[in-house]
Amino acid sequence: MFRVTGTLSAASSPAVAAASFSAALRLSITPTLAIASPPHLRWFSKFSRQFLGGRISSLRPRIPSPCPIRLSGFPALKMRASFSSGSSGSSASREILVQHLLVKNDDVELFAELQKKFLDGEEMSDLAAEYSICPSKKDGGILGWVKLGQMVPEFEEAAFKAELNQVVRCRTQFGLHLLQVLSEREPVKDIQVEELHSKMQDPVFMDEAQLIDVREPNEIEIASLPGFKVFPLRQFGTWAPDITSKLNPEKDTFVLCKVGGRSMQVANWLQSQGFKSVYNITGGIQAYSLKVDPSIPTY
């Protein structure tokens, strides 16, 4: 692997160092929820089984939807950056949104030309679409949200040490990469029902937080909590396509179901749509009844 520190001028050429490559990819993909997966996630079944380092042993069930939901807007983002190896820090829970382009290991001249094109103002998404040999080229090089342990070591080291919107370059057994981190986030957080109850006593919290219940209408009739908007999971296809017009991705969002399973699915999906702070209510309304308010019926 190689990277350039500091700022790279347009006239510079990459110093390609010999590197030893791992013959066996040893990592496994953490099972993730695929809800109406955008195209750049669907091709993971082939290329990314290798690139992300392992086998997909199991996937949680898809939530059926007639309307595929895409990560929108990222290929069009104007990201100006210098080539750098600065570190923004990393944690086991941190997730990053990665864009890259890939050329063959022996295409050194093309690689240098692409760096110059980028420094001259061309978009990474356009360069990836035209020149990259990665299947993500059809989505402007967007690989999606990834976390530690999901990528081959050389790529992972470069990506997780990169500062936001700075371009780094690395070499893996797949070829030469230009990559940049477009955004970062923490994964879905769990909140216990006791803590939620305490927060709900604060009028400011009730006014500012987004509380959503993904149970079905017949369940809501039996038991419900005040302040929660209902987004039935079985009606996902009707409310999901314009979710950002119904909810604010910048606000804290708390998701409730009966025992916590369905809410975790929706919480993960909301985060994939750009929601910054999503909480899954552990144990759902069942736990709320048992631990906080026994007057709420169980079923």
Side-chain angles (χ1 to χ4, degrees), residues 84-131:
S84 170
S85 63
S87 172
S88 62
S90 63
S91 70
S93 63
R94 176 171 163 251
E95 296 180 334
I96 57 176
L97 180 67
V98 182
Q99 181 181 34
H100 87 138
L101 63 81
L102 171 68
V103 300
K104 294 179 180 178
N105 272 313
D106 56 0
D107 282 341
V108 176
E109 291 185 4
L110 172 60
F111 192 64
E113 179 185 347
L114 294 177
Q115 291 176 78
K116 183 179 185 301
K117 285 178 178 289
F118 182 82
L119 288 169
D120 287 343
E122 293 196 33
E123 300 286 352
M124 174 76 82
S125 55
D126 294 335
L127 295 174
E130 184 172 356
Y131 296 101

Side-chain angles (χ1 to χ4, degrees), residues 241-271:
D242 59 346
I243 189 63
T244 53
S245 68
K246 302 176 187 297
L247 299 173
N248 185 346
E250 301 299 322
K251 288 188 174 183
D252 289 349
T253 304
F254 297 79
V255 191
L256 176 74
C257 70
K258 181 180 180 180
V259 295
R262 286 173 288 174
S263 56
M264 177 58 80
Q265 290 182 320
V266 174
N268 283 329
W269 177 78
L270 286 171
Q271 192 180 69

Side-chain angles (χ1 to χ4, degrees), residues 142-153:
I142 299 291
L143 287 175
W145 291 96
V146 297
K147 58 185 177 181
L148 285 171
Q150 288 187 311
M151 299 175 290
V152 292

Side-chain angles (χ1 to χ4, degrees), residues 4-14 81-84 115-116 119 169:
V4 175
T5 59
T7 302
L8 181 70
S9 66
S12 299
S13 61
S82 61
F83 290 83
S84 170
Q115 291 176 78
K116 183 179 185 301
L119 288 169
R169 54 192 190 181

Side-chain angles (χ1 to χ4, degrees), residues 212-215 219 255-264 280-281 283-286 299:
I212 70 172
D213 191 329
V214 299
R215 294 176 301 143
E219 295 178 275
V255 191
L256 176 74
C257 70
K258 181 180 180 180
V259 295
R262 286 173 288 174
S263 56
M264 177 58 80
N280 180 52
I281 301 171
I285 198 167
Q286 193 95 331
Y299 60 98

